Short mmCIF file of all heavy atoms in Angstrom, two decimals:
data_model
loop_
_atom_site.label_atom_id
_atom_site.label_comp_id
_atom_site.label_asym_id
_atom_site.label_seq_id
_atom_site.Cartn_x
_atom_site.Cartn_y
_atom_site.Cartn_z
N TYR A 251 53.75 12.54 -83.54
CA TYR A 251 53.70 12.22 -82.11
C TYR A 251 54.44 13.26 -81.26
O TYR A 251 54.35 13.25 -80.03
CB TYR A 251 54.35 10.84 -81.86
CG TYR A 251 55.69 10.69 -82.56
CD1 TYR A 251 56.86 11.15 -81.98
CD2 TYR A 251 55.77 10.12 -83.83
CE1 TYR A 251 58.07 11.05 -82.63
CE2 TYR A 251 56.97 10.01 -84.49
CZ TYR A 251 58.13 10.48 -83.89
OH TYR A 251 59.32 10.39 -84.55
N CYS A 252 55.16 14.15 -81.89
CA CYS A 252 56.13 14.98 -81.16
C CYS A 252 55.58 16.38 -80.87
O CYS A 252 55.05 17.05 -81.75
CB CYS A 252 57.42 15.06 -81.97
SG CYS A 252 58.70 16.03 -81.15
N GLN A 289 70.89 17.98 -78.47
CA GLN A 289 69.66 17.50 -79.11
C GLN A 289 68.75 18.67 -79.43
O GLN A 289 68.69 19.64 -78.66
CB GLN A 289 68.93 16.53 -78.20
CG GLN A 289 67.75 15.89 -78.90
CD GLN A 289 66.91 15.03 -77.98
OE1 GLN A 289 65.98 15.48 -77.34
NE2 GLN A 289 67.28 13.76 -77.90
N GLY A 290 68.05 18.57 -80.55
CA GLY A 290 67.13 19.65 -80.88
C GLY A 290 66.15 19.27 -81.96
O GLY A 290 66.22 18.19 -82.56
N GLY A 291 65.24 20.19 -82.19
CA GLY A 291 64.39 20.10 -83.35
C GLY A 291 65.25 20.32 -84.58
O GLY A 291 66.43 20.71 -84.46
N GLU A 292 64.69 20.04 -85.75
CA GLU A 292 65.49 20.22 -86.96
C GLU A 292 65.38 21.67 -87.40
O GLU A 292 64.48 22.06 -88.13
CB GLU A 292 65.11 19.16 -87.97
CG GLU A 292 65.86 17.89 -87.56
CD GLU A 292 65.16 16.59 -87.80
OE1 GLU A 292 65.02 16.24 -88.98
OE2 GLU A 292 64.78 15.92 -86.82
N SER A 320 72.19 14.63 -81.66
CA SER A 320 70.86 14.07 -81.90
C SER A 320 70.10 15.14 -82.68
O SER A 320 69.34 15.92 -82.13
CB SER A 320 70.20 13.74 -80.56
OG SER A 320 68.87 13.32 -80.73
N LEU A 321 70.39 15.17 -83.99
CA LEU A 321 69.94 16.28 -84.85
C LEU A 321 69.05 15.79 -85.98
O LEU A 321 68.82 16.53 -86.94
CB LEU A 321 71.16 17.00 -85.46
CG LEU A 321 72.31 17.38 -84.51
CD1 LEU A 321 73.47 17.98 -85.29
CD2 LEU A 321 71.83 18.37 -83.47
N GLY A 322 68.60 14.55 -85.88
CA GLY A 322 67.69 14.05 -86.90
C GLY A 322 68.39 13.68 -88.20
O GLY A 322 69.60 13.48 -88.25
N LEU A 342 69.95 8.48 -83.44
CA LEU A 342 68.88 8.65 -84.43
C LEU A 342 67.98 7.42 -84.32
O LEU A 342 68.28 6.35 -84.87
CB LEU A 342 69.47 8.75 -85.84
CG LEU A 342 68.47 8.96 -86.98
CD1 LEU A 342 67.85 10.36 -86.92
CD2 LEU A 342 69.16 8.77 -88.34
N ARG A 343 66.89 7.55 -83.61
CA ARG A 343 66.02 6.39 -83.44
C ARG A 343 65.32 6.05 -84.75
O ARG A 343 64.94 6.98 -85.48
CB ARG A 343 64.96 6.68 -82.37
CG ARG A 343 65.54 6.83 -80.98
CD ARG A 343 64.39 7.03 -80.03
NE ARG A 343 64.83 7.14 -78.65
CZ ARG A 343 63.99 7.38 -77.65
NH1 ARG A 343 62.69 7.50 -77.89
NH2 ARG A 343 64.43 7.46 -76.43
N GLU A 345 62.48 4.73 -84.60
CA GLU A 345 61.13 5.02 -84.07
C GLU A 345 60.16 3.85 -84.16
O GLU A 345 59.45 3.55 -83.23
CB GLU A 345 60.50 6.28 -84.70
CG GLU A 345 61.41 7.51 -84.77
CD GLU A 345 61.75 8.13 -83.42
OE1 GLU A 345 61.34 7.61 -82.38
OE2 GLU A 345 62.48 9.15 -83.42
N LEU A 384 59.91 3.80 -80.13
CA LEU A 384 58.87 4.21 -79.18
C LEU A 384 58.00 3.00 -78.86
O LEU A 384 57.45 2.38 -79.77
CB LEU A 384 57.99 5.27 -79.82
CG LEU A 384 58.62 6.66 -79.98
CD1 LEU A 384 57.84 7.48 -81.00
CD2 LEU A 384 58.67 7.37 -78.63
N PRO A 414 58.61 4.66 -73.45
CA PRO A 414 57.20 4.62 -73.82
C PRO A 414 56.80 5.89 -74.57
O PRO A 414 57.30 6.98 -74.26
CB PRO A 414 56.49 4.56 -72.46
CG PRO A 414 57.47 5.10 -71.48
CD PRO A 414 58.84 4.80 -72.01
N PHE A 415 55.93 5.74 -75.54
CA PHE A 415 55.28 6.90 -76.15
C PHE A 415 54.45 7.57 -75.06
O PHE A 415 53.79 6.90 -74.27
CB PHE A 415 54.37 6.42 -77.30
CG PHE A 415 53.31 7.42 -77.64
CD1 PHE A 415 53.59 8.53 -78.41
CD2 PHE A 415 52.01 7.26 -77.15
CE1 PHE A 415 52.60 9.47 -78.69
CE2 PHE A 415 51.02 8.20 -77.42
CZ PHE A 415 51.32 9.30 -78.20
N ILE A 416 54.50 8.90 -75.03
CA ILE A 416 53.65 9.66 -74.10
C ILE A 416 52.95 10.74 -74.92
O ILE A 416 53.60 11.45 -75.69
CB ILE A 416 54.50 10.30 -72.97
CG1 ILE A 416 55.28 9.21 -72.22
CG2 ILE A 416 53.62 11.09 -72.00
CD1 ILE A 416 56.24 9.73 -71.15
N TYR A 488 60.99 22.73 -74.14
CA TYR A 488 61.35 21.55 -74.95
C TYR A 488 60.46 20.39 -74.49
O TYR A 488 60.91 19.42 -73.90
CB TYR A 488 62.83 21.22 -74.79
CG TYR A 488 63.37 20.27 -75.84
CD1 TYR A 488 63.79 20.75 -77.08
CD2 TYR A 488 63.47 18.90 -75.60
CE1 TYR A 488 64.29 19.88 -78.05
CE2 TYR A 488 63.97 18.04 -76.56
CZ TYR A 488 64.37 18.54 -77.78
OH TYR A 488 64.88 17.68 -78.74
N LEU A 490 58.58 17.49 -75.56
CA LEU A 490 58.32 16.50 -76.62
C LEU A 490 57.00 15.81 -76.34
O LEU A 490 56.33 15.33 -77.25
CB LEU A 490 59.43 15.45 -76.65
CG LEU A 490 60.86 15.97 -76.85
CD1 LEU A 490 61.84 14.83 -76.70
CD2 LEU A 490 60.99 16.64 -78.20
N TYR A 491 56.65 15.72 -75.06
CA TYR A 491 55.40 15.09 -74.63
C TYR A 491 54.99 15.75 -73.33
O TYR A 491 55.78 16.48 -72.72
CB TYR A 491 55.57 13.57 -74.47
CG TYR A 491 56.85 13.17 -73.79
CD1 TYR A 491 56.95 13.15 -72.41
CD2 TYR A 491 57.98 12.82 -74.53
CE1 TYR A 491 58.13 12.80 -71.79
CE2 TYR A 491 59.16 12.47 -73.91
CZ TYR A 491 59.24 12.46 -72.54
OH TYR A 491 60.41 12.13 -71.92
N1 SAH B 809 65.00 15.91 -84.00
C1 SAH B 809 65.76 14.82 -83.43
C2 SAH B 809 65.56 14.70 -81.93
C3 SAH B 809 64.17 14.25 -81.60
S1 SAH B 809 63.73 14.16 -79.92
C4 SAH B 809 65.37 13.53 -84.13
O1 SAH B 809 64.36 13.50 -84.81
O2 SAH B 809 66.10 12.54 -84.03
C5 SAH B 809 64.37 12.60 -79.45
C6 SAH B 809 63.38 11.44 -79.33
O3 SAH B 809 62.27 11.79 -78.54
C7 SAH B 809 62.76 10.98 -80.63
O4 SAH B 809 63.63 10.15 -81.35
C8 SAH B 809 61.49 10.27 -80.16
O5 SAH B 809 61.66 8.86 -80.12
C9 SAH B 809 61.27 10.83 -78.76
N2 SAH B 809 59.92 11.40 -78.66
C10 SAH B 809 59.37 12.36 -79.44
N3 SAH B 809 58.06 12.52 -79.13
C11 SAH B 809 57.78 11.64 -78.15
C12 SAH B 809 56.59 11.30 -77.43
N4 SAH B 809 55.43 11.90 -77.67
N5 SAH B 809 56.67 10.35 -76.48
C13 SAH B 809 57.84 9.74 -76.22
N6 SAH B 809 58.98 9.99 -76.87
C14 SAH B 809 58.96 10.93 -77.83
#
Side-chain angles (χ1 to χ4, degrees):
Y251 48 84
C252 181
Q289 187 186 89
E292 279 146 69
S320 174
L321 312 175
L342 181 70
R343 292 184 179 177
E345 313 292 3
L384 287 162
F415 159 79
I416 302 175
Y488 195 84
L490 303 174
Y491 43 84

